[in-house]
Amino acid sequence: MTKKYRAGILGATGTVGQRFIQLLQAHPQFEVTALAASDRSAGKPYSEACTWRLPGEMPSAVKTIVVQPPQPPLDCDFVFSSLPGDIARQSEESFARAGYPVISNSSAFRMDADVPLLIPEVNHEHLRLLDTQRVERDFEGHGFIVTNPNCSTIMIALALAPLHARFGIEAAVVTTMQALSGAGYPGVPSLDINDNVIPFISNEEEKIETETQKILGKVSGSSIQAAEFAVSAQCHRVNVSDGHMAAVRVKFSRPVELTEVRDALATFTSLPQEMRLHSAPPQPIIVRGEADRPQPRLDRDAGDGMSVTIGRIARDRVLDYRFVALSHNTIRGAAGAAILNAELLAATSRLGRSPG
Ligand code: NAP
């Protein structure tokens, strides 16, 4: 039997860190061998450092792992990062410099010109940036940084990708309703969010607008030529535990029938499905016809949390079409996305430090 890659998790005690541990507990290719978090946690066994907040028990395999500071060396072949953005920049760079592949969920490097902002179904060819990154940044051995998008951007870009490929998008207007777990733990104070909607999430609108253009851009030489259509985003925090929703309106470059829009979304599959990557959902996009779907409680776990559910597809009187998208923000929007990225990197022999 092939030995598994040994994974470290930076930010292992947090909302996304716990999701990594849950999703990796029976993974066929990766096993968790190192955990890192802040000074508050470092030096303690994980069972003491972490208050487990997901349904079910903390996996027993991680309970005795002693939490380390997020600095190399760590006892692993590569690291997943779910550190806060301001900490991530220095920490992730130091791991890549020391020769560790870094598969990050943080925002620190997402918009750097030589860093892939990867959704395996959408822009796997952006991994070509790694050749430039290694040379320009002078990372040791197998070191590199690959990122996944912001938790709302990922479902928006996944939904827009097949539409842009078939019809050309001229403009997209997005209004999000984002879950509480997107703010980490303890997140938004209950007295602020009960009986309320907060129309502000720091930097979120800018992230959706710029990340979407990078993800849907094309590789040109050693950089990405961003998609040229404008994206306008407004973001709201709502009183939902998990599952981000986005109401999306799009303008196309040519006349398009409603059935074509539905078909482009419902039939979309890509490389991860062809390669049968472990975390790839059979349907990256699930189209629902009911008048009142998607809903966070009913649809966030579709495809084990890795599918985006789309409903309410209709003609729009101002732009061309509109629809509502929903996905699980800590699975497809965070830990699950990074794990799928790692599976693609392993399957394409880029993960380095072959286990054995
Ligand atoms: P969180 O629940 O607040 O967890 C933060 C983690 O980082 C904890 O493990 C914490 O360790 C560690 N940490 C905090 N300050 C640190 C420091 N100074 N040095 C080292 N480690 C430190 O946050 P989260 O929601 O998991 O988010 C983590 C990252 O993922 C952020 O960059 C966020 O933007 C991104 N993200 C989150 C979501 C989501 O849905 N929540 C989705 C996509 C991306 P201690 O427990 O020791 O303090």
Side-chain angles (χ1 to χ4, degrees):
M1 205 176 78
T2 322
K3 255 181 114 183
K4 293 184 181 181
Y5 288 90
R6 299 170 313 137
I9 301 171
L10 315 180
T13 50
T15 304
V16 179
Q18 294 188 28
R19 194 59 88 174
F20 271 121
I21 286 170
Q22 184 194 55
L23 295 175
L24 290 170
Q25 66 180 320
H27 197 281
Q29 293 163 284
F30 308 136
E31 64 176 325
V32 177
T33 55
L35 302 171
S38 78
D39 294 347
R40 292 178 286 279
S41 309
K44 298 178 189 162
Y46 189 69
S47 58
E48 255 180 56
C50 175
T51 305
W52 188 254
R53 297 189 191 277
L54 291 175
E57 294 299 314
M58 176 187 286
S60 53
V62 296
K63 285 184 178 171
T64 55
I65 297 178
V66 175
V67 178
Q68 309 285 321
Q71 292 301 325
L74 281 185
D75 181 25
C76 55
D77 298 319
F78 73 97
V79 293
F80 289 113
S81 169
S82 54
L83 290 169
D86 50 340
I87 311 295
R89 192 145 188 113
Q90 187 279 329
S91 171
E92 292 178 3
E93 182 143 32
S94 67
F95 277 97
R97 199 159 294 293
Y100 295 79
V102 176
I103 299 167
S104 174
N105 163 74
S106 301
S107 59
F109 286 97
R110 283 185 198 143
M111 292 307 292
D112 282 26
D114 60 347
V115 174
L117 181 51
L118 182 65
I119 304 176
E121 284 94 342
V122 175
N123 63 353
H124 44 87
E125 70 281 2
H126 288 200
L127 285 175
R128 275 167 38 201
L129 291 181
L130 291 182
D131 302 335
T132 325
Q133 188 193 107
R134 269 210 200 90
V135 174
E136 287 183 359
R137 298 203 187 228
D138 205 17
F139 290 156
E140 284 287 312
H142 299 296
F144 63 74
I145 299 171
V146 166
T147 59
N148 59 258
N150 161 276
C151 43
S152 288
T153 309
I154 199 159
M155 67 173 165
I156 294 163
L158 247 170
L160 295 182
L163 302 179
H164 191 45
R166 283 214 207 172
F167 317 125
I169 293 177
E170 284 198 352
V173 178
V174 176
T175 306
T176 69
M177 290 141 274
Q178 300 186 209
L180 297 170
S181 59
Y185 193 86
V188 187
S190 60
L191 289 179
D192 288 348
I193 197 67
N194 273 335
D195 188 30
N196 210 6
V197 170
I198 299 174
F200 173 69
I201 303 174
S202 182
N203 297 323
E204 198 79 355
E205 292 165 352
E206 296 80 350
K207 285 179 188 169
I208 293 172
E209 291 172 356
T210 57
E211 290 180 17
T212 303
Q213 290 174 319
K214 178 172 176 180
I215 294 160
L216 295 179
K218 297 247 174 297
V219 183
S220 160
S222 59
S223 61
I224 304 292
Q225 175 114 40
E228 278 175 9
F229 65 86
V231 182
S232 165
Q234 288 182 289
C235 298
H236 308 82
R237 186 74 69 194
V238 296
N239 199 355
V240 164
S241 58
D242 290 313
H244 286 357
M245 191 179 247
V248 183
R249 282 154 209 247
V250 284
K251 182 168 175 49
F252 295 128
S253 314
R254 65 167 175 89
V256 178
E257 293 298 320
L258 178 62
T259 50
E260 292 181 273
V261 175
R262 203 177 280 133
D263 182 67
L265 293 166
T267 61
F268 178 63
T269 59
S270 183
L271 187 67
Q273 286 69 39
E274 282 162 34
M275 295 178 88
R276 297 178 173 275
L277 299 181
H278 177 71
S279 303
Q283 288 177 272
I285 295 173
I286 294 172
V287 173
R288 299 206 65 114
E290 301 93 323
D292 59 354
R293 300 286 278 274
Q295 296 180 21
R297 259 195 298 159
L298 301 181
D299 296 306
R300 62 192 166 209
D301 293 323
D304 289 333
M306 290 296 283
S307 293
V308 175
T309 302
I310 292 184
R312 311 277 309 136
I313 305 172
R315 282 194 186 275
D316 185 69
R317 284 169 193 256
V318 177
L319 301 183
D320 291 328
Y321 282 92
R322 63 190 180 205
F323 57 85
V324 176
L326 179 122
S327 80
H328 199 302
N329 55 296
T330 67
I331 303 180
R332 180 53 105 157
I339 293 169
L340 186 60
N341 285 354
E343 291 167 3
L344 178 64
L345 288 158
T348 53
S349 308
R350 289 184 170 95
L351 203 47
R353 298 194 184 202
S354 310

